[in-house]
Amino acid sequence: MPRFPQSMPRINPSILAADFVNMERDLAKIVSADLVHVDVMDNHFVPNLTFGPQMVGRIQDVSQIPLDVHLMIDDPERWAPGYAELGAASVTFHVEASSDPVALARRLRDMGARAGIALKPATNADDFLEVLDEFDQVLVMTVEPGFGGQSFMPETMPKLRTLREAVTARGLDVWLQVDGGITEETITTAAQSGADTFVAGSAVFRSDDPSAAIALLRERAAEHTH
Ligand code: DX5
Ligand code: ZN
């Protein structure tokens, strides 16, 4: 089995919308997905709190699909390498919290993880266009980070298009991820604007049939991914 899934487009359900006391049961519902999106929040970088390395380590133990860790925390220089150490396939940190995103990404890659940067809705991508090859993923937040169940912000799409143009023009293998308010409707807009990796919390876990929801999201995205 390849370490990183090759299917396109990728659908990464966010376990922020799962039942935290039945995590293993809920992880079993999403085995048809590409990676499991794991939101780490520190009640400081964002006004919400989830879990840390101990919980993520257990998720790593029991998950049948690789982990896509999204760190919404201060001081990622201190904490992010620990998640790579746990074996997470992908570790994404926020540029707003990082003192040197390129240096941190290099450390994560050296540890065998894919290295991602995340941009809040108001954060410009321009500073990172020149150094895109230093990263394996750029996460364009399509809501303000912190909570599930918010509405998709279409005003983030020009930034996504700029990133897609840069990735394509340079022939880079950088995944472009969207996160927040992704539904079977909004996924079309995000795919048309250049996303290839889609996080969905509520749309998957609030569905009666998470596996069918994943399949539908993948189908909708595939119609528009280019
Ligand atoms: C929000 C998190 C998201 C969240 C998305 O800060 O980063 O991953 O779980 O949830 P939905 O899909 O419900 O908007
Ligand atoms: Zn997230």
Side-chain angles (χ1 to χ4, degrees):
M1 206 176 88
R3 171 114 196 247
F4 304 116
Q6 301 299 312
S7 84
M8 274 277 284
R10 283 168 290 267
I11 306 295
N12 299 1
S14 167
I15 52 161
L16 186 62
D19 180 347
F20 281 21
V21 297
N22 286 290
M23 192 56 80
E24 191 168 11
R25 178 199 70 188
D26 279 5
L27 286 167
K29 296 178 181 173
I30 57 162
V31 291
S32 63
D34 295 280
L35 297 95
V36 53
H37 185 83
V38 179
D39 287 307
V40 175
M41 304 187 189
D42 67 352
N43 193 27
H44 204 261
F45 179 74
V46 289
N48 195 5
L49 182 67
T50 55
F51 38 67
Q54 192 178 353
M55 177 69 168
V56 177
R58 285 296 294 139
I59 294 169
Q60 174 74 31
D61 289 342
V62 302
S63 179
Q64 295 178 47
I65 57 175
L67 269 54
D68 170 39
V69 174
H70 176 194
L71 299 175
M72 285 161 277
I73 60 172
D74 279 340
D75 201 3
E77 276 70 21
R78 178 169 176 193
W79 301 108
Y83 292 90
E85 183 107 25
L86 286 172
S90 176
V91 178
T92 296
F93 59 90
H94 271 267
V95 297
E96 303 86 358
S98 170
S99 51
D100 190 343
V102 169
L104 181 51
R106 287 180 182 170
R107 274 181 72 194
L108 294 171
R109 280 178 161 182
D110 282 349
M111 299 177 76
R114 293 179 62 92
I117 49 169
L119 311 175
K120 288 164 73 168
T123 303
N124 209 297
D126 294 351
D127 288 348
F128 305 99
L129 295 178
E130 288 300 313
V131 288
L132 272 181
D133 60 332
E134 298 279 355
F135 310 109
D136 299 295
Q137 169 166 282
V138 180
L139 194 184
V140 173
M141 286 302 302
T142 44
V143 298
E144 288 298 338
F147 298 93
Q150 303 181 79
S151 298
F152 178 80
M153 296 169 65
E155 59 269 39
T156 58
M157 292 297 98
K159 175 165 61 186
L160 179 56
R161 281 194 289 273
T162 301
L163 285 160
R164 173 50 64 199
E165 281 162 21
V167 167
T168 303
R170 275 179 263 161
L172 299 172
D173 179 25
V174 180
W175 297 356
L176 296 182
Q177 183 175 71
V178 284
D179 181 11
I182 298 298
T183 65
E184 56 184 89
E185 283 86 36
T186 60
I187 199 167
T188 302
T189 306
Q192 281 169 337
S193 303
D196 56 26
T197 306
F198 303 85
V199 176
S202 311
V204 170
F205 283 105
R206 300 280 175 263
S207 161
D208 292 337
D209 186 346
S211 181
I214 291 163
L216 181 59
L217 288 167
R218 195 179 271 135
E219 190 183 308
R220 286 281 151 82
E223 285 165 14
H224 301 280
T225 307
H226 38 170

